[in-house]
């Protein structure tokens, strides 16, 4: 793929202007850097450089620089290290990467629209190709991370039927050595098929206790957070689950898990955590005050009358979640209907 560059001031997702540096380099170099081992610091700096939205009467650029300084160098705040160390076991680089890549998608979509507006059709075409490539890779990674889907369960069931048919043929031809091997294969496929089917059903019938944008409190560690993503079961790696002591949870990994943005005033180093549903509770009204996190500026429109955040339409679509409207809220500008 040839490298392209679309540089100019463009309309941000919230209708204000933001200065955007050139992206869409050769062979998805930026995407590769986000997805590399060094993704944490680089991705943060990349995201911080690109967020310049004005909110609540202040320049977002200043806010992000301040928060980034807390994350990488500190600002003289002395957190209780013993208290925070346990909470940081739930910190998720995978969830953080997922959010940054989502922002990259939003940014490309904005650039495509801008290129069309100024009739740079060749640039828009190349940006669309890049976006399609990224979305294909994201879908692949998501399926690999979750480990099962309805299609995978169906494929495993077909493999089981074929193995049973081959076993029957081996028995009828009195090839007992082959039959023994196939019997072992059938036993393994039966176990795999049952596990995949159960997990696929969990994905289809899950009921979440919390919603996107809702402010919550961690029952164990006490910090305030905001829901920005959700999975019907724990989708992290085995090593992460061991570190986070997931097996010690009363419901283990087979319960909804949430990507949460942690208030930087509570812990400027935790940033994004991946938390089991049983460890979260709805924030009290008195706990719904000022909440600071750089990612809220592109994941949410603002706050509703209940002082929870309002997720952007693309975030709701990502997790197939309906729009929620607090009592007294007016229609927002995404054209959605009240659910």
């Amino acid at each position: 793929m040839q490298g392209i560059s679309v540089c100019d001031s463009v309309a941000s997702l919230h209708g204000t202007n933001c200065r955007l540096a050139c992206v869409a380099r050769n062979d998805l170099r930026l995407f590769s850097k986000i997805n590399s081992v060094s993704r944490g610091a680089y991705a943060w700096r990349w995201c911080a450089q690109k967020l310049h939205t004005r909110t609540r009467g202040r320049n977002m650029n200043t806010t992000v620089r301040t928060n980034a300084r807390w994350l990488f160098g500190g600002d003289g705040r002395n957190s209780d290290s013993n208290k925070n160390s346990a909470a940081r076991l739930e910190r998720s680089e995978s969830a953080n990467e997922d959010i940054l890549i989502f922002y990259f998608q939003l940014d490309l979509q904005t650039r495509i629209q801008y290129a069309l507006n100024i009739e740079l059709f060749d640039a828009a075409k190349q940006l669309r190709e890049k976006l399609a490539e990224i979305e294909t890779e994201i879908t692949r990674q998501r399926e690999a991370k979750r480990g099962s889907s309805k299609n995978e369960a169906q494929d495993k069931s077909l493999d089981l039927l074929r193995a049973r048919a081959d076993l029957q043929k081996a028995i009828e031809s009195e090839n007992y050595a082959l039959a023994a091997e196939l019997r072992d294969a059938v036993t393994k496929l039966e176990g795999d098929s049952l596990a995949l089917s159960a997990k696929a059903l969990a994905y289809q019938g899950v009921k979440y206790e919390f919603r996107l944008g809702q402010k919550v409190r961690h029952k164990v560690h006490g910090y305030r957070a905001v829901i920005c993503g959700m999975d019907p079961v724990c989708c992290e790696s085995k090593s992460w689950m061991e570190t986070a002591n997931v097996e010690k949870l009363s419901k283990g990994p087979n319960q909804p898990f949430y990507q949460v943005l942690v208030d930087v005033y509570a812990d400027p180093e935790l940033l994004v955590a991946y938390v089991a549903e049983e460890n979260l509770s709805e924030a009290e009204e008195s706990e719904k005050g000022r909440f600071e996190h750089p990612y809220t500026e592109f994941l949410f429109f603002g706050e509703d009358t209940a002082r929870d955040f309002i997720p952007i339409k693309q975030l709701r679509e990502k997790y197939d979640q309906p729009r929620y409207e607090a009592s007294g809220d007016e229609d927002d500008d995404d054209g959605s209907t009240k659910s």
Side-chain angles (χ1 to χ4, degrees):
M1 182 184 298
Q2 296 296 318
I4 57 175
S5 174
V6 178
C7 304
D8 213 323
S9 290
V10 300
S12 74
L13 296 171
H14 301 289
T16 59
N17 288 331
C18 59
R19 296 179 61 83
L20 298 174
C22 302
V23 294
R25 307 296 186 192
N26 293 340
D27 300 324
L28 299 173
R29 285 188 297 169
L30 181 57
F31 180 74
S32 298
K33 286 184 179 179
I34 291 176
N35 202 34
S36 68
V37 175
S38 62
R39 62 181 175 264
Y42 179 87
W44 175 275
R45 292 190 181 99
W46 168 77
C47 187
Q49 289 170 359
K50 294 171 67 59
L51 293 175
H52 299 277
T53 307
R54 289 186 178 272
T55 59
R56 293 188 288 274
R58 295 182 303 171
N59 193 303
M60 180 58 192
N61 192 28
T62 302
T63 305
V64 173
R65 281 202 302 269
T66 302
N67 292 337
R69 185 169 64 252
W70 293 347
L71 183 61
F72 292 109
D75 68 339
R77 296 170 184 264
N78 294 317
S79 300
D80 187 334
S81 59
N82 291 329
K83 177 182 178 181
N84 291 339
S85 59
R88 291 170 191 166
L89 295 178
E90 295 178 335
R91 177 168 50 196
S92 174
E93 289 296 330
S94 176
N96 186 51
E97 177 187 279
D98 183 64
I99 294 169
L100 290 175
I101 293 174
F102 177 68
Y103 176 75
F104 188 34
Q105 286 180 278
L106 296 179
D107 185 64
L108 276 178
Q109 290 167 359
T110 302
R111 293 173 187 281
I112 290 170
Q113 187 58 55
Y114 177 72
L116 292 173
N117 290 345
I118 62 176
E119 299 184 355
L120 292 177
F121 300 118
D122 289 340
K125 179 181 178 181
Q126 292 179 68
L127 285 168
R128 279 202 191 98
E129 291 172 353
K130 182 178 292 295
L131 180 61
E133 183 177 345
I134 292 172
E135 289 176 341
T136 299
E137 178 62 16
I138 288 171
T139 300
R140 187 195 66 77
Q141 289 185 3
R142 186 175 299 149
E143 290 180 352
K145 175 183 173 183
R146 292 184 171 183
S148 72
S149 66
K150 183 177 180 180
N151 289 337
E152 286 179 306
Q154 291 174 341
D155 291 343
K156 190 66 69 174
S157 297
L158 290 174
D159 291 340
L160 179 59
L161 291 174
R162 295 190 190 99
R164 284 173 174 167
D166 292 341
L167 173 60
Q168 185 62 36
K169 291 179 181 178
I171 293 174
E172 290 174 355
S173 62
E174 298 184 357
N175 189 343
Y176 300 116
L178 177 60
E181 294 179 4
L182 288 171
R183 187 177 293 111
D184 292 339
V186 166
T187 300
K188 184 177 184 304
L189 284 169
E190 286 175 341
D192 293 345
S193 179
L194 182 62
L196 287 170
S197 296
K199 203 167 185 180
L201 287 174
Y203 274 80
Q204 293 175 356
V206 65
K207 292 184 179 179
Y208 295 103
E209 184 175 345
F210 305 102
R211 64 184 182 275
L212 292 172
Q214 187 172 5
K215 292 180 180 177
V216 294
R217 176 172 288 280
H218 199 293
K219 292 180 180 178
V220 178
H221 306 307
Y223 61 73
R224 294 189 307 143
V226 172
I227 305 293
C228 67
M230 51 190 61
D231 294 312
V233 295
C234 184
C235 294
E236 270 285 2
S237 64
K238 289 183 179 179
S239 61
W240 184 92
M241 285 191 273
E242 291 174 358
T243 300
N245 299 314
V246 171
E247 290 299 332
K248 293 183 180 180
L249 297 170
S250 62
K251 298 180 181 179
N254 296 318
Q255 61 177 308
F257 272 68
Y258 298 86
Q259 293 180 6
V260 300
L261 307 181
V262 180
D263 186 1
V264 295
Y265 283 107
D267 188 342
E269 295 185 20
L270 184 50
L271 192 65
V272 179
Y274 194 57
V275 186
E277 187 171 83
E278 69 179 71
N279 279 342
L280 294 174
S281 62
E282 182 178 357
E284 299 291 338
E285 183 63 31
S286 61
E287 299 172 330
K288 291 188 176 183
R290 178 181 179 183
F291 186 93
E292 291 290 346
H293 195 289
Y295 294 176
T296 59
E297 309 304 333
F298 62 86
L299 293 175
F300 308 108
F301 284 115
E303 294 184 348
D304 58 25
T305 55
R307 305 185 75 183
D308 289 315
F309 284 101
I310 304 170
I312 63 172
K313 183 179 180 180
Q314 294 93 326
L315 186 62
R316 290 192 286 104
E317 290 175 343
K318 176 181 179 181
Y319 291 101
D320 193 25
Q321 293 297 300
R323 176 188 172 194
Y324 173 85
E325 185 175 320
S327 177
D329 281 342
E330 297 180 356
D331 291 344
D332 60 32
D333 58 0
D334 69 357
S336 301
T337 58
K338 180 177 178 179
S339 62

